[in-house]
Amino acid sequence: MAIKVYGVNHVAIEVGDVKKAIEFYQDLFGLNKLDEGEGDAFFQVGAHQFLAMFENKEMARDRTNRHFGLMVRDDKQIAEVREKLTNKYKIKLIPGFRCDFRDPWGNRIQVVDLHDESLVWLLPYQEVQKAGVTFK
C-alpha cells in the first residue's frame, strides 16, 4: 500500500523566552493556545495543524532562508499584520515579499492569504469553504 500524506501536523520553533513568545504570537495572529508547559506552548493554526514552540535561552538567531508560512484570510489581514509588526513591534519586513519577517528570536515567518491563486489545492478544506473563498 502506498503511503498517503494528508498535510503537516505541526511546525516547531525555538524561542528565547516562551512567555514573551506566547504574548507576541497571540497578539499578532490571535492564535488559540492549546497547551502550555514549562518552556513550551502549542497553538492551533487551522483545523488540523498546530504551532509548537520550545524555549531555548541560548539559541542563536537564524539567518537562513528556512521558514514556514501562516495563512490569513485576505489582504486586509496581511495589512493588519504588517502594521503591527512595523509600528508596534518595530520589526522590519523582509524586502521583496508581501509579509515576510523574523520574529524577535530570529525565526523567519511568511504570511500569505487565501486568495493566492496558487492555493487552489485548498478548495476541499472545510475552513476554506466556510470562508466563502473563490478563485478566479
Side-chain angles (χ1 to χ4, degrees), residues 73 113-117 120 123 128-129 131-136:
R73 176 152 170 69
D113 69 58
L114 288 173
H115 291 86
D116 180 341
E117 290 179 29
V120 73
L123 285 175
V128 174
Q129 294 167 358
V133 174
T134 58
F135 297 90
K136 297 177 185 179

Side-chain angles (χ1 to χ4, degrees), residues 1-102:
M1 174 170 88
I3 301 294
K4 180 168 176 66
V5 175
Y6 289 95
V8 175
N9 176 259
H10 70 279
V11 171
I13 61 173
E14 289 186 330
V15 295
D17 183 321
V18 77
K19 296 288 184 201
K20 287 182 180 175
I22 289 168
E23 290 174 21
F24 177 79
Y25 278 91
Q26 282 186 315
D27 180 49
L28 190 60
F29 294 109
L31 295 180
N32 177 35
K33 186 172 57 171
L34 299 172
D35 194 16
E36 177 182 354
E38 191 171 320
D40 61 30
F42 304 88
F43 297 92
Q44 186 165 357
V45 288
H48 310 289
Q49 303 88 32
F50 67 95
L51 171 63
M53 55 182 64
F54 299 92
E55 188 170 86
N56 177 355
K57 291 189 183 294
E58 292 151 20
M59 69 178 286
R61 287 183 64 84
D62 187 2
R63 302 213 183 273
T64 69
N65 287 322
R66 188 177 23 225
H67 70 279
F68 66 93
L70 291 175
M71 200 176 326
V72 298
R73 176 152 170 69
D74 54 30
D75 229 10
K76 281 187 195 175
Q77 289 190 341
I78 287 180
E80 286 178 40
V81 170
R82 290 172 59 97
E83 170 77 15
K84 238 181 215 181
L85 286 168
T86 58
N87 291 331
K88 181 174 184 177
Y89 292 103
K90 307 299 184 211
I91 291 176
K92 293 182 180 175
L93 298 172
I94 297 172
F97 297 90
R98 281 176 55 195
C99 192
D100 279 36
F101 67 96
R102 291 197 184 276

